[in-house]
Amino acid sequence: MKNSGHSGDEKRHDAFSLQLSARLRVLREEKRLSQEEVAHRAGISVYTYQKFEKGESKPNTPMNPQLYTLIDLADAFDIKVEELLAFS
């Protein structure tokens, strides 16, 4: 049974996933990279990266990348993790 606080967490997680997915897409387009190139540079599958750009890990489940994956994605874009997570 969910408590009322959990619903707020889910909304926060959904919002984070959408912000990060948009950030990944913008960075990729700015760097003029394909999804395949970013995935290769980050050492993840193309499918996983495509899901990240959609903001999900499984259908209807917000993405939840591991810390090392975030570090590898930042490296793929040649930026710091802080810059990857800097949502405006």
Side-chain angles (χ1 to χ4, degrees):
M1 184 170 182
K2 294 182 181 181
N3 64 29
S4 61
H6 190 71
S7 173
D9 287 345
E10 287 177 354
K11 288 179 184 175
R12 242 184 28 239
H13 296 164
D14 287 345
F16 175 83
S17 293
L18 291 175
Q19 289 175 314
L20 181 56
S21 69
R23 181 81 173 125
L24 290 171
R25 198 169 24 261
V26 165
L27 287 167
R28 181 176 59 78
E29 291 171 353
E30 285 177 353
K31 300 280 185 174
R32 298 177 187 240
L33 297 169
S34 68
Q35 291 179 333
E36 292 80 7
E37 289 170 311
V38 175
H40 177 73
R41 289 178 177 199
I44 60 176
S45 73
V46 174
Y47 177 78
T48 298
Y49 183 76
Q50 289 170 335
K51 297 300 278 182
F52 285 170
E53 278 202 11
K54 290 181 181 179
E56 51 185 43
S57 56
K58 298 177 193 169
N60 301 315
T61 304
M63 74 168 144
N64 188 14
Q66 294 183 359
L67 174 61
Y68 294 130
T69 303
L70 292 172
I71 292 169
D72 292 339
L73 285 167
D75 287 346
F77 292 116
D78 196 30
I79 61 174
K80 296 178 182 179
V81 175
E82 296 87 350
E83 293 174 85
L84 177 67
L85 301 177
F87 308 134
S88 40

